Amino acid sequence: MSELAVGNIVRRVLHIIREEDHSNTRDAVEGFRLSVGGDNDYIVEQDHLNLSVAAQSSLCRPSLHALLERSPDSATTYFTATTEDDSEEKRKSLDPNARSLEFRRKVISAVNDLIEDINTCHLVIAELAVEHIHHNEVILTFGRSRTVKEFLCAAKEKKRSFGLFVAEGAPKYQGHLLAKELAARGLQTTVITDSAVFAMISRVNMVIVGVHAVMANGGVIGPVGLNMVALAARKHAVPFVVVTGTHKLCPLYPNNPEVSLNEMRSPSEVLSFEEFSDCMDYRIGTGAPQLHVGNPSFDYVPPELVSLFITDIGGYYPSYMYRLIADYYSSDDLVIQQKPAS
Amino acid sequence: MQNDLPANSKPLKERTSKAERRALQEAQRAAKAAAKAEGSKLPATTSGAVASANVKPTKATKPSSQKNDSATVASSEKKGGDRPPEKDRKKDAPHPRMQYDDKSRVEKAKRRAVVKQTEARNRVELFRHLPQYEHGTQLPDLESKFFQLDPVHPVVYKVGLQYISGDISGGNARCIAMLQAFQEAIKDYSTPDEKTLTRDLTAKINSYVSFLNECRPLSISMGNAIRFLKNRIAKLPLTLSESEAKAFLQSDIEQFISEKIILADKVIVKHAVTKIRDGDVLLTHGSSSAVEMILLHAHELGKQFRVVIVDSRPKLEGQLLLRRLVGKGLSCTYANINAVSYIMHEVTRVFLGASSVLSNGTVYSRVGTACVAMVAHEFRVPVLVCCEAYKFHERVQLDSICSNELGDPDAISKVPGREDINYLDGCTNSENLQLLNLIYDATPSDYVSMIVTDYGMVPPTSVPVIVREYCRDQVWI
């Protein structure tokens, strides 16, 4: 349950397939209206049949599997309405196999577009950097995100000079790597520990972070420690900006996200086994271990703490994110059913 | 209004009125200025007194105890004339501490320094007003000089080395170590000819203090203790012989340690234990001696509770506390400070220690405390700060940048035990990259529910009252 982006992409692809099918059906229904005007009894009868099949297929859609594996039988007869129309007729009179191939080709090209979008989202976002970062600003970031890195470097390219604080982001310490990369690119970087975030944030103009996933209510799932940073930013009235591609937008609502959307990593990253191996054996009266070590890997930040989302389709307020879900996902796909083994 | 000797006119511990005490201090300052200037006993003017007060800051670079130098320097106990109290009120405002971006003062301090420090090359601009030195260069240098006994007493030298290496850390521990070292030094002290005990001993103590400050900047608790000691020296009657005076001072130090630190801790434990109920989940940050005592005592009383220890880099002091608590049988959870939002759901109370509490209610404590208090406040968990009253201070501070301590930047780039994380090896000298290792931070008073002191359990707004009534003018009740 931790890699939400996988589920997102699956749903995106399903949505693409449904969209393609929906646009095909719409065209077919359009074609009917043109042909129903005919007076021929035979035609009317055929048309009624076709219309009803089309209506049936639009109301209770065939499964996606059926759409892709369309076999040349009754389900496709609505394409064979007889009239004198030009391109519609040509298309309708195509061989069903070719139609299925055509459909699949369209779906594949849409998926390729999606791949392209995901690969280049950080470049698109980086173009917006100049609007948000100005001279002599001080920016704080947490952990390491490629989108943030490109964002900051783009502002640097445009000759904006700003200072940067990077919080190291224990226990992965990705902040160290980011700081090294940014210093190599010429940005004035200071590495601080996560505990010093509250101390330094009074001197910071803006917090820019990348996250793991964006939930439907506008809340974000980010590296552990991000909630602390967001709270400190709110206390000091510092804008908390999240840069993310739309592929991270998840249509689920976070219920008890600390537990259900979290992943616990090995405690050895926090406490070394060699030093504390003797303590691991202690037990209290009931036999439960005396020493627990917690190492969650994600943190949930509620939408009230986020000031702005910068995505590859523009900047949005957290309460708007649910609208984007309607654009990218179909409601049928929200809960991916387990197929019963039959 | 000449300065004439009081012929046993007042016993040492009599409580004089405030105006008289201020007048006394004024006269002492004046006498010192006069003695310095001419060597003859002329009454100095007010400006002379002010000038002497300003000369003192460059003599000893003690950021936190500076502001009360004016109250403690004394050449001898002389009863001065009646200065009107209004003039003294102006000098009650604390002297500004030494700022390290003031080049002339830094130069003067360096000339007097015992420890040769090399300034760090890669300094964070925001902290130019704080000293930052290359770590790792001092310790071997000082160790080699150990057997050159002048000018620093070997016990004090030892304590300084322990500070540098980090063997002694924590407000109480450092303060006790320093005071015990001073006890030894006073025991071995003998007045040179033609000098008065008080003046010479004070000068010696000043030199020890500046040495310790160069090893590691003084904590606020140490500053208060030094102020106390100097005041005691100043108040010694002249009629005492040297051995009597030394015995007097040693017993005073002993009394300070036992009353202000050890007994105070017992009182704090007694108060705070009443706030722990069965089934509690208590969270603490880092390792505080007061909080540790509270937890152990509550466990001895048989209360059922769990402890969560939140730790932060680079010192990772929580691991030491964890080991001690688990050894005593408490059931503990350990987490990094990043996980504090995750853990805070199940926590019922937060106990924090402090290096000091300032007069605007701000708690000055180990870095990370502010984050913990903020998250606790967000989750509506009460925060109790346990701090002995001798650590309170008149200073005020709004954020963590005005005054802080900068530690070794290499401690950030090295992650112990994780060899895969060594991205920053060798990067400490890159020109665009700086590493900032803050030691303290300031927690705003709205995050603190209650402060447990030896004067009782008080809200943060009562701290300046305690400072004024009990700690001002060294009336150490």
Side-chain angles (χ1 to χ4, degrees):
Chain A
M1 194 38 173
S2 65
E3 204 49 72
L4 293 163
V6 172
N8 294 348
I9 300 304
V10 169
R11 292 189 185 94
R12 286 285 283 271
V13 172
L14 294 179
H15 180 74
I16 287 172
I17 297 174
R18 286 190 205 277
E19 278 284 312
E20 284 297 329
D21 175 58
H22 186 65
S23 64
N24 281 348
T25 317
R26 235 190 359 245
D27 292 341
V29 171
E30 288 288 318
F32 284 134
R33 289 206 205 96
L34 296 172
S35 66
V36 160
D39 273 323
N40 205 329
D41 281 332
Y42 165 72
I43 293 172
V44 169
E45 198 181 281
Q46 181 74 316
D47 283 341
H48 276 310
L49 174 63
N50 294 340
L51 193 55
S52 68
V53 169
Q56 187 187 24
S57 70
S58 60
L59 284 175
C60 58
R61 329 280 307 262
S63 76
L64 292 177
H65 186 75
L67 282 175
L68 285 173
E69 299 288 326
R70 206 182 305 259
S71 47
D73 60 356
S74 63
T76 64
T77 50
Y78 61 85
F79 276 129
T80 62
T82 65
T83 63
E84 58 284 353
D85 270 309
D86 34 16
S87 60
E88 301 281 343
E89 181 186 329
K90 264 199 228 143
R91 204 187 49 177
K92 287 178 207 132
S93 60
L94 277 178
D95 177 37
N97 274 334
R99 256 175 269 128
S100 159
L101 274 177
E102 170 79 23
F103 179 73
R104 274 191 258 183
R105 219 175 29 80
K106 284 192 192 164
V107 168
I108 287 175
S109 91
V111 172
N112 278 333
D113 285 342
L114 175 61
I115 295 176
E116 193 57 35
D117 278 343
I118 297 175
N119 279 336
T120 59
C121 70
H122 56 274
L123 292 175
V124 175
I125 292 172
E127 285 167 17
L128 297 172
V130 145
E131 287 179 16
H132 295 280
I133 301 181
H134 304 283
H135 276 294
N136 296 335
E137 283 207 351
V138 179
I139 295 180
L140 174 77
T141 186
F142 189 90
R144 177 170 182 261
S145 158
R146 189 175 68 157
T147 319
V148 171
K149 189 174 87 158
E150 295 302 323
F151 194 81
L152 296 172
C153 291
K156 178 82 170 56
E157 296 302 315
K158 297 283 194 309
K159 308 283 187 270
R160 301 279 163 94
S161 70
F162 54 92
L164 188 64
F165 284 106
V166 179
E168 55 183 13
K172 284 186 177 174
Y173 299 104
Q174 293 287 314
H176 289 189
L177 190 54
L178 177 69
K180 188 161 133 174
E181 289 168 356
L182 289 177
R185 296 243 210 149
L187 279 167
Q188 196 66 24
T189 327
T190 306
V191 177
I192 59 173
T193 55
D194 308 317
S195 38
V197 161
F198 191 91
M200 299 311 301
I201 204 157
S202 56
R203 293 293 186 274
V204 165
N205 298 121
M206 186 162 33
V207 178
I208 301 184
V209 294
V211 296
H212 186 74
V214 179
M215 310 308 292
N217 64 343
V220 297
I221 305 280
V224 66
L226 200 62
N227 192 26
M228 199 169 71
V229 177
L231 286 171
R234 180 179 66 175
K235 155 83 178 174
H236 290 90
V238 172
F240 187 83
V241 174
V242 174
V243 291
T244 166
T246 46
H247 61 279
K248 289 190 179 163
L249 175 62
C250 178
L252 298 177
Y253 184 85
N255 284 317
N256 202 7
E258 297 83 14
V259 175
S260 62
L261 293 175
N262 216 333
E263 182 190 322
M264 304 300 282
R265 296 168 63 91
S266 162
S268 64
E269 291 175 357
V270 173
L271 197 62
S272 104
F273 280 139
E274 296 97 43
E275 290 174 21
F276 281 86
S277 50
D278 49 336
C279 295
M280 303 288 177
D281 290 333
Y282 293 167
R283 294 279 185 268
I284 58 177
T286 59
Q290 200 180 342
L291 173 61
H292 294 262
V293 180
N295 188 8
S297 92
F298 297 118
D299 227 1
Y300 172 69
V301 179
E304 304 85 57
L305 299 178
V306 179
S307 309
L308 182 68
F309 281 103
I310 297 184
T311 67
D312 45 348
I313 49 175
Y316 296 106
Y317 196 64
S319 57
Y320 181 80
M321 298 315 273
Y322 77 99
R323 291 301 292 148
L324 296 178
I325 290 171
D327 285 343
Y328 290 122
Y329 302 105
S330 313
S331 56
D332 306 330
D333 298 325
L334 285 184
V335 181
I336 300 187
Q337 306 282 5
Q338 296 278 31
K339 254 191 128 127
S342 56
Chain B
M1 66 172 82
Q2 298 300 320
N3 301 320
D4 44 283
L5 291 174
N8 290 353
S9 56
K10 59 180 198 133
L12 193 63
K13 308 266 190 227
E14 179 198 30
R15 271 194 81 166
T16 55
S17 76
K18 262 194 170 25
E20 277 174 271
R21 281 199 298 275
R22 290 224 181 86
L24 194 60
Q25 289 159 12
E26 264 305 294
Q28 288 162 359
R29 244 186 289 158
K32 166 141 179 117
K36 267 179 88 82
E38 294 297 328
S40 62
K41 308 221 185 251
L42 293 171
T45 59
T46 314
S47 62
V50 171
S52 75
N54 282 338
V55 157
K56 274 187 280 315
T58 61
K59 188 167 151 69
T61 64
K62 296 192 300 293
S64 51
S65 60
Q66 211 127 66
K67 46 189 260 322
N68 286 297
D69 269 353
S70 57
T72 60
V73 169
S75 48
S76 56
E77 189 190 27
K78 299 185 199 284
K79 225 176 169 105
D82 299 324
R83 300 236 183 228
E86 294 84 54
K87 276 209 185 133
D88 299 327
R89 277 209 204 291
K90 227 176 23 175
K91 289 168 197 65
D92 282 347
H95 288 282
R97 285 161 286 122
M98 170 149 165
Q99 305 289 327
Y100 282 81
D101 49 358
D102 184 353
K103 285 220 170 358
S104 56
R105 285 225 195 150
V106 170
E107 285 304 319
K108 278 195 198 155
K110 265 205 228 168
R111 261 181 261 137
R112 240 170 254 111
V114 175
V115 182
K116 288 286 170 276
Q117 310 254 28
T118 51
E119 287 201 4
R121 270 162 289 168
N122 219 0
R123 304 179 61 138
V124 181
E125 275 303 316
L126 197 53
F127 288 96
R128 281 229 166 251
H129 59 287
L130 296 175
Q132 178 151 30
Y133 300 114
E134 294 272 350
H135 285 247
T137 52
Q138 309 145 337
L139 199 54
D141 184 46
L142 283 180
E143 276 170 356
S144 64
K145 285 208 254 175
F146 188 73
F147 291 106
Q148 308 164 13
L149 292 178
D150 291 347
V152 176
H153 191 280
V155 178
V156 177
Y157 206 84
K158 181 177 95 165
V159 166
L161 292 185
Q162 283 174 322
Y163 285 170
I164 293 184
S165 63
D167 286 339
I168 297 187
S169 78
N172 283 344
R174 286 170 72 192
C175 191
I176 293 181
M178 178 188 75
L179 286 176
Q180 287 176 338
F182 283 169
Q183 266 184 325
E184 280 285 323
I186 288 177
K187 195 168 73 147
D188 294 340
Y189 170 77
S190 60
T191 322
D193 299 330
E194 300 182 358
K195 290 221 176 126
T196 57
L197 175 116
T198 49
R199 218 188 313 168
D200 188 55
L201 185 58
T202 308
K204 243 191 157 49
I205 298 280
N206 279 341
S207 74
Y208 293 161
V209 165
S210 67
F211 167 74
L212 289 178
N213 194 34
E214 285 152 20
C215 292
R216 192 182 154 185
L218 294 182
S219 69
I220 298 186
S221 56
M222 291 164 70
N224 287 349
I226 292 168
R227 232 193 316 159
F228 160 79
L229 179 61
K230 288 210 216 165
N231 177 264
R232 278 285 178 260
I233 297 177
K235 289 219 163 98
L236 285 176
L238 288 179
T239 54
L240 285 184
S241 75
E242 181 181 311
S243 56
E244 277 179 358
K246 287 187 345 183
F248 220 56
L249 285 176
Q250 284 179 292
S251 83
D252 271 347
I253 293 181
E254 199 57 49
Q255 190 188 15
F256 182 87
I257 293 179
S258 75
E259 269 181 22
K260 291 284 151 189
I261 304 182
I262 303 193
L263 195 59
D265 278 338
K266 291 202 173 72
V267 173
I268 288 178
V269 167
K270 194 167 69 92
H271 282 304
V273 150
T274 60
K275 293 295 174 196
I276 301 181
R277 301 167 302 189
D278 281 346
D280 263 349
V281 179
L282 308 176
L283 183 133
T284 182
H285 172 258
S287 161
S288 160
S289 54
V291 174
E292 187 180 344
M293 282 193 251
I294 292 171
L295 295 173
L296 290 175
H297 187 66
H299 186 68
E300 278 166 29
L301 289 180
K303 303 206 179 197
Q304 302 296 319
F305 59 94
R306 269 201 307 136
V307 178
V308 179
I309 299 176
V310 163
D311 207 2
S312 64
R313 279 197 79 224
K315 291 207 168 181
L316 292 176
E317 293 165 329
Q319 293 188 352
L320 305 170
L321 178 66
L322 176 70
R323 182 175 282 285
R324 290 195 288 264
L325 290 183
V326 166
K328 290 276 174 29
L330 278 85
S331 121
C332 301
T333 305
Y334 178 84
N336 204 348
I337 194 171
N338 288 352
V340 69
S341 299
Y342 172 81
I343 295 262
M344 196 57 80
H345 292 280
E346 33 184 62
V347 171
T348 55
R349 299 239 194 291
V350 174
F351 279 88
L352 297 172
S355 169
S356 164
V357 183
L358 305 176
S359 275
N360 59 340
T362 310
V363 176
Y364 189 72
S365 173
R366 183 68 79 223
V367 68
T369 308
C371 289
V372 172
M374 171 183 68
V375 177
H377 182 81
E378 181 68 20
F379 284 84
R380 309 269 189 274
V381 174
V383 174
L384 288 85
V385 171
C386 309
C387 180
E388 299 85 359
Y390 84 100
K391 289 181 179 168
F392 291 175
H393 203 270
E394 309 172 307
R395 209 171 81 199
V396 292
Q397 192 171 327
L398 287 172
D399 59 21
S400 320
I401 307 207
C402 321
S403 151
N404 210 317
E405 187 184 328
L406 294 177
D408 183 11
D410 286 331
I412 298 201
S413 56
K414 296 188 190 15
V415 181
R418 301 275 300 279
E419 302 317 323
D420 48 328
I421 315 275
N422 55 355
Y423 309 120
L424 289 180
D425 268 351
C427 280
T428 40
N429 294 325
S430 150
E431 72 171 27
N432 284 328
L433 182 64
Q434 277 124 17
L435 303 171
L436 180 61
N437 185 2
L438 285 178
I439 304 279
Y440 292 111
D441 72 11
T443 308
S445 62
D446 21 346
Y447 293 151
V448 177
S449 316
M450 187 162 77
I451 301 188
V452 186
T453 75
D454 41 333
Y455 290 112
M457 298 193 274
V458 297
T461 46
S462 299
V463 169
V465 175
I466 293 182
V467 167
R468 181 196 162 95
E469 297 303 322
Y470 296 112
C471 303
R472 266 288 188 98
D473 300 327
Q474 288 76 47
V475 178
W476 299 93
I477 298 187

